[in-house]
Each structure stands twice: as structure tokens, then as C-alpha cells.
Amino acid sequence: MEERKASKRCGGVFPFIIGFLATCVLGWAVIPGLFFEKVEQPVWFSHAVHVDGQGMDCESCHYFREDGSYAGFPTNEVCAECHAVDPEEAMEAIAEEGIDPNDYEAIMKAGIGAIEDNLASSDDKMMQAEREYVVKYLIQGKEVPWLNYQYQPDNVYFSHAAHMNLSIEELAGMKKELASVVDPSVFEGDAPEQNCNLCHLKDIQLNDEPPAFERNILSGYSKMTMKMWKCERCHALKGQPNACYTCHK
């Protein structure tokens, strides 16, 4: 009888342990991924084409305004400096063809000279992406609704100006302490001139295909949105304040 009771007790423990481990695996490895969906950027964009191909630098599109605020994504006004399609002329040509200006596919198939003759791209894939940008946004007077990989919640204030002078070479001395905060490969090789790699996608200037935006289906935020504990860790190592009002305004 005693042996049978002991056997029953053990039989109750093992299923519990197995169930507990299965729950941990589901909770940490499986379920979180179900809350994210991959979304493509509205227009295919190649950083490599603009940086390597056209000799542009980060500040050509991402710059500080005169008041010190950060411009973020480039506007049509900036893009039109190179993508020189005249919106009025293009719209007149579309009207002459009898095409609805909101019928983007028809406009792109029509081969309208006012658009096609001013496209700067050199191969079919790039030209199609440029054509889509011009037809759907530039001549329509609409800004591209780019998906911000590191968009911050409304109650978070992040100043690029306050971080622009951070030196990767200097921070390399703390790479062990920063291993959980910054991609360790950032500190390998010669220190780059730009310190964008500390927070943004590494070597984005070499990227030819925009990575998918992983959006949280509940909050709408990106999976890459900076986490508060990472900011606090770096602030602590650099001897900077970590009070709530430092970042929350």
C-alpha cells in the first residue's frame, strides 16, 4: 500500500513539472511572437543606392533643423531635389490621357512622358519603386507614411541632439557592460564616423532591402522600439540622470 501511495504522489509531480516547463516555453518563446505581424514599407527603398550609388550621407535626408529639433524622415520637398518630376505638369498629362489621378496602376502603365522622362533610376526594380513613389505620393502632394522602426510612445521624449556626440570608440571600453544593450558587432573594426549604429539598425547605409516592420498587433508599436531598461543602463554607465522627467515629459 505504501509503495502504491508513493507511486501516486510521484505520478502527480512529474505531470506538474512537465506542464510547468511547457508553459514556460510557450510563454517565453512562442506566445510573444504571436503578438507581432510583419508589415512592408509603403515604398521599396534602398539605402545602398542612395549612399553608395549617389554619394549621399545620412545628413542629406536625416538632419537637424535650425532650432535643434530632428527632422526624421525626409519630406517630398527634400526628395524632389533629385526626383525632379513636376507635379503640375504630370497631373496635366494624366488629365489629357483621361486617367483618374487616383488610379495609380493605370497611371504607371500609361508610360506618361512627364513622369517617365524624369525618372532617375537605372534598372527596372529601382525604376518601378521610384515610379510608385512619384505617382502615389510626390505628384499627389502626399507624404510617404514611412513606418518608423523605433517610434517612441507619446509620453517619451528622445533628443537626437543630446546623443549625436556619443563616440562609439569611447563606448567600446564599456562593450562588456553594454553587451545586452548594443549589438556587440558595432564595436568591431574601425569606429564608424556615424554613431547611428548604437540605437538603429546596424549598417543601414548598406541595406538594399528595407527590413520588415514588426508591428505589435495590440499597441501598434515596433518590435525594435527602444526599451526603457536599455536607456537606463546606458545612462547609468555614462553617469547621466535616470530620473523619470529626463525622458518622460
Side-chain angles (χ1 to χ4, degrees), residues 88-160:
E88 289 186 16
E89 185 181 337
M91 282 300 191
E92 286 176 6
I94 291 169
E96 289 174 4
E97 293 286 334
I99 302 174
D100 182 346
N102 294 314
D103 190 344
Y104 305 139
E105 292 300 322
I107 296 171
M108 288 189 281
K109 288 178 181 177
I112 295 170
I115 296 173
E116 299 297 319
D117 294 345
N118 293 293
L119 297 179
S121 300
S122 57
D123 68 35
D124 291 342
K125 183 178 182 181
M126 291 184 222
M127 189 169 287
Q128 179 59 22
E130 183 181 7
R131 186 180 291 116
E132 286 187 23
Y133 163 65
V134 168
V135 171
K136 294 180 180 180
Y137 301 102
L138 182 61
I139 66 175
Q140 306 284 346
K142 300 176 182 177
E143 297 294 342
V144 181
W146 297 111
L147 300 171
N148 190 339
Y149 294 105
Q150 283 160 311
Y151 181 74
Q152 297 299 304
D154 293 337
N155 67 337
V156 175
Y157 173 75
F158 180 88
S159 168
H160 277 85

Side-chain angles (χ1 to χ4, degrees), residues 10-28:
C10 290
V13 171
F14 285 122
F16 172 79
I17 293 174
I18 293 170
F20 176 75
L21 292 175
T23 301
C24 290
V25 170
L26 285 171
W28 286 330

Side-chain angles (χ1 to χ4, degrees), residues 176-221:
K176 186 176 180 180
E177 293 85 349
L178 288 170
S180 60
V181 178
V182 179
D183 182 350
S185 64
V186 167
F187 301 113
E188 295 173 1
D190 295 331
E193 293 180 8
Q194 301 289 341
N195 60 18
C196 310
N197 286 343
L198 289 170
C199 302
H200 294 279
L201 291 170
K202 185 175 181 292
D203 295 330
I204 189 65
Q205 75 277 9
L206 305 177
N207 189 280
D208 193 52
E209 192 80 28
F213 179 91
E214 296 186 72
R215 179 168 58 198
N216 188 300
I217 61 176
L218 298 179
S219 68
Y221 288 115

